[in-house]
């Protein structure tokens, strides 16, 4: 469309030049043919009649030659005017053709701009975080920290916040995190990179229980299935709320030199909602969405990756606690040394149980939260 616009401007300039030339030609024509009075015409006719048989003088020869040249000039000017008229017509036809071709282009541009406005925002990455990510991160941390899972208004607020994208530091940047930078991210609610749960009616299908009317005022809580691989005597949360996916950013050496690479670890950060301390856990994701977008794909196997996995130097694990209380995690203001404290906690709580999730029963969630929070002293202090 830019080329058409340039062509249009060029034609308009040509048109203006031809108009100017035509106007100058009209002015010159009026100067070459001054108005003649009737008396002058009569006297000239008499003089020509009386001198018809007389010998022509040199001046008269010159006059006759001038009069013989006038029709030639007139014809030339008429031809120029005809050429200008045809040129104007040709330029006008070209302008009309360009206008006709520009109309659909302009309509297409408007349509594309409209579609662009409808597109979702880009996923949150370290490169796309705003200039003031700290404010957003602190806000998300405070929402989670202040949430009381017994209070209906807190639960409704947490549900409405699930569509918010964010990136938060898991540990302080000053902490020595095995030469890594761990972050927790949430890109878009209920995507393939989220922890999934199976339906109670068909274990092969993904449950979309959160779309039920009964869950509209509650956040998306998952139930960790009990299995025989769980070591006896170790505590594992039953109901959890997922905060986001854990990413690792490292500087690696490639063929083009040293580059910062950012990728998922396969772990997800969840909060135990059944206790007011709201401990934080890392859980490995085994299940993903199949090609039919309805079934669970369970072919993923755990393989320890000492380079990308968090706390890989401690042991192999697919579930472990990293903060005993939610308040131990301060987001951007996480205390220096928290990584080493979490490392010790992982050594105590880590296990390989191949965790999977099942669709929760809302009434069981309510009863479990009420029972455990009512028997806890911190729960009473959190109530307003």
């Amino acid at each position: 469309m830019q080329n058409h616009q340039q062509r249009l401007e060029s034609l308009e300039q040509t048109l203006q030049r031809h108009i100017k030339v035509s106007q100058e030609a009209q002015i010159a024509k009026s100067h070459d043919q001054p108005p003649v009075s009737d008396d002058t015409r009569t006297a000239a006719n008499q003089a020509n009649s009386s001198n018809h048989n007389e010998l022509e003088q040199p001046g008269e020869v010159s006059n006759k030659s001038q009069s013989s040249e006038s029709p030639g000039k007139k014809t030339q000017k008429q031809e120029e005017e005809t050429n200008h008229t045809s040129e104007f017509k040709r330029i006008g036809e070209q302008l009309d053709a360009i206008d006709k071709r520009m109309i659909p282009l302009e309509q297409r541009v408007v349509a594309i701009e409209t579609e662009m406005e409808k597109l979702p925002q880009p996923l949150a990455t370290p490169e796309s975080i705003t200039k003031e990510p700290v404010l957003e991160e602190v806000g998300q941390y405070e929402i989670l920290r202040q949430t009381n899972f017994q209070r209906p208004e807190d639960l409704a607020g947490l549900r409405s916040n699930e569509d918010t994208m964010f990136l938060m530091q898991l540990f302080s940047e000053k902490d020595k995190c095995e030469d890594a930078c761990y972050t927790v991210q949430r890109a878009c609610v209920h995507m393939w990179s989220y922890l999934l749960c199976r339906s109670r009616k068909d274990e092969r299908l993904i449950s979309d229980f959160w779309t039920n009317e009964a869950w509209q005022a509650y956040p998306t809580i998952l139930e960790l299935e009990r299995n025989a691989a769980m070591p006896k005597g170790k505590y594992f949360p039953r109901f959890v709320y997922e905060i986001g996916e854990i990413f690792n950013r490292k500087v690696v050496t490639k063929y083009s030199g040293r580059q910062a690479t950012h990728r998922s670890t396969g772990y997800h950060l969840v909060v135990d909602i059944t206790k007011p301390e709201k401990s934080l856990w890392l859980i490995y994701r085994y299940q993903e969405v199949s090609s039919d977008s309805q079934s669970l794909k369970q072919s993923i196997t755990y393989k320890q990756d000492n380079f990308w996995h968090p706390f890989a130097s401690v042991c192999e694990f697919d579930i472990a606690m990293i903060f005993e209380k939610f308040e131990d995690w301060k987001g951007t203001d996480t205390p220096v040394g928290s990584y080493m404290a979490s490392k010790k906690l992982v050594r105590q709580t880590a296990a390989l149980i191949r965790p999977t999730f099942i669709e929760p029963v809302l009434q069981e969630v309510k009863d479990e939260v009420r029972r455990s929070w009512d028997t806890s002293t911190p729960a009473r202090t959190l109530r307003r």
Side-chain angles (χ1 to χ4, degrees), residues 16 21 33 36 65-66 78 92 94-95 120 124 133 149 201 204 206 210 229 233 303 327 383:
Q16 293 296 330
V21 171
Q33 296 181 356
V36 182
S65 63
Q66 290 179 0
Q78 289 177 348
Q94 291 180 350
L95 292 175
F149 285 91
K201 297 179 180 179
R204 297 171 301 175
I206 301 172
W210 57 82
K303 183 179 180 180
E327 292 187 352
R383 292 180 181 175

Side-chain angles (χ1 to χ4, degrees), residues 320-338:
M321 183 192 297
I322 59 171
F323 292 109
E324 288 186 288
K325 296 183 296 182
F326 192 89
E327 292 187 352
D328 292 340
W329 179 41
K330 302 295 184 180
T332 54
D333 194 26
T334 302
V336 176
S338 62

Side-chain angles (χ1 to χ4, degrees), residues 106-240:
E106 292 174 347
Q107 292 174 346
R108 180 60 177 163
V109 170
V110 172
I112 292 175
E113 290 176 348
T114 304
E115 292 298 323
M116 289 292 291
E117 293 176 355
K118 296 179 181 179
L119 292 177
Q121 295 296 323
L123 302 182
T125 65
E127 290 78 18
S128 65
I129 295 300
T130 59
K131 294 181 179 180
E132 297 182 358
V134 174
L135 297 178
E136 180 182 354
E137 184 168 341
V138 171
Q140 291 297 323
Y141 172 81
E142 286 301 317
I143 290 174
L144 295 166
R145 185 186 70 82
Q146 297 177 14
T147 297
N148 184 330
F149 285 91
Q150 283 187 304
R151 200 159 39 229
E153 57 269 27
D154 286 8
L155 297 174
L158 195 59
R159 172 60 183 260
S160 63
N161 188 59
E162 287 184 349
D163 291 328
T164 304
M165 299 181 294
F166 62 77
L167 181 149
M168 302 171 69
Q169 295 291 336
L170 188 58
F171 298 102
S172 171
E173 293 183 354
K174 297 179 181 179
D175 250 330
K176 294 183 178 180
C177 304
E178 299 177 348
D179 191 28
C181 177
Y182 296 107
T183 58
V184 54
Q185 300 184 35
R186 183 163 67 197
C188 183
V189 69
H190 309 316
M191 286 182 60
W192 62 269
S193 59
Y194 271 62
L195 295 174
L196 303 173
C197 66
R198 68 173 179 86
S199 171
R200 287 185 176 271
K201 297 179 180 179
D202 189 341
E203 64 179 9
R204 297 171 301 175
L205 299 180
I206 301 172
S207 174
D208 57 352
F209 66 91
W210 57 82
T211 62
N212 297 336
E213 184 176 357
W215 281 89
Q216 294 305 305
Y218 290 86
T220 307
I221 295 170
L222 304 177
E223 180 176 352
L224 179 64
E225 290 192 273
R226 308 288 103 175
N227 63 50
M230 291 181 173
K232 294 182 179 180
K234 277 193 174 184
Y235 172 80
F236 298 99
R238 180 183 178 188
F239 298 110
V240 298

